[in-house]
Amino acid sequence: VQLVESGGGSVQAGGSLRLSCAASGFTFDDQAIGWFRQAPGKEREGVACISSSDSSTYYADSMKDRFTISSDSAKNTVYLQMNGLQPEDTAVYYCATSPHYSGRYFLQNVRYLEDWGQGTLVTVTS
């Protein structure tokens, strides 16, 4: 399994970024894929996940108003559109996948997810 994130960078408060997670090594539609983030000195937290087989999505409560997760099965890629970014959104954003969890359980079981990307840094300046 390989997950490669891209699209991070530096943006001013109020700006937008779209992250991409290119997946390979497994059947894309068979597993949930999701985004997590980790700010300096904080624990990794769930952002959103998607099951491409039925396009179902699940968001952490604090993320659902500004972030949108989507997937393109033809490209084996999951996206995270982030709008209205704030300095507190500064973090390394990771994508992960698991054949065992989906929905809220995917975001809640961060410690048990098997496969992770290397992360992409998002910096939001005020």
Side-chain angles (χ1 to χ4, degrees):
V1 173
Q2 187 174 22
L3 301 169
V4 180
E5 302 97 332
S6 61
S10 183
V11 63
Q12 288 190 330
S16 298
L17 283 174
R18 188 177 80 155
L19 306 182
S20 299
C21 173
S24 61
F26 63 98
T27 302
F28 186 78
D29 288 347
D30 284 354
Q31 299 185 191
I33 301 176
W35 289 96
F36 295 79
R37 69 183 186 182
Q38 189 165 18
K42 295 188 177 181
E43 293 188 353
R44 194 168 296 189
E45 63 174 343
V47 175
C49 64
I50 187 167
S51 295
S52 297
S53 59
D54 60 2
S55 297
S56 60
T57 59
Y58 187 85
Y59 294 87
D61 287 342
S62 60
M63 314 290 177
K64 61 178 63 176
D65 292 335
R66 297 182 294 120
F67 294 179
T68 302
I69 191 170
S70 62
S71 66
D72 185 337
S73 294
K75 297 182 178 179
N76 282 7
T77 300
V78 171
Y79 304 98
L80 184 69
Q81 178 67 43
M82 305 186 294
N83 299 326
L85 286 164
Q86 299 300 316
E88 52 266 33
D89 295 315
T90 295
V92 178
Y93 284 72
Y94 300 89
C95 66
T97 188
S98 171
H100 303 301
Y101 303 101
S102 62
R104 79 169 87 175
Y105 302 105
F106 186 95
L107 296 187
Q108 290 176 350
N109 287 286
V110 56
R111 298 180 181 179
Y112 302 103
L113 301 183
E114 294 90 339
D115 297 296
W116 293 84
Q118 82 289 348
T120 186
L121 177 64
V122 172
T123 303
V124 185
T125 58
S126 57

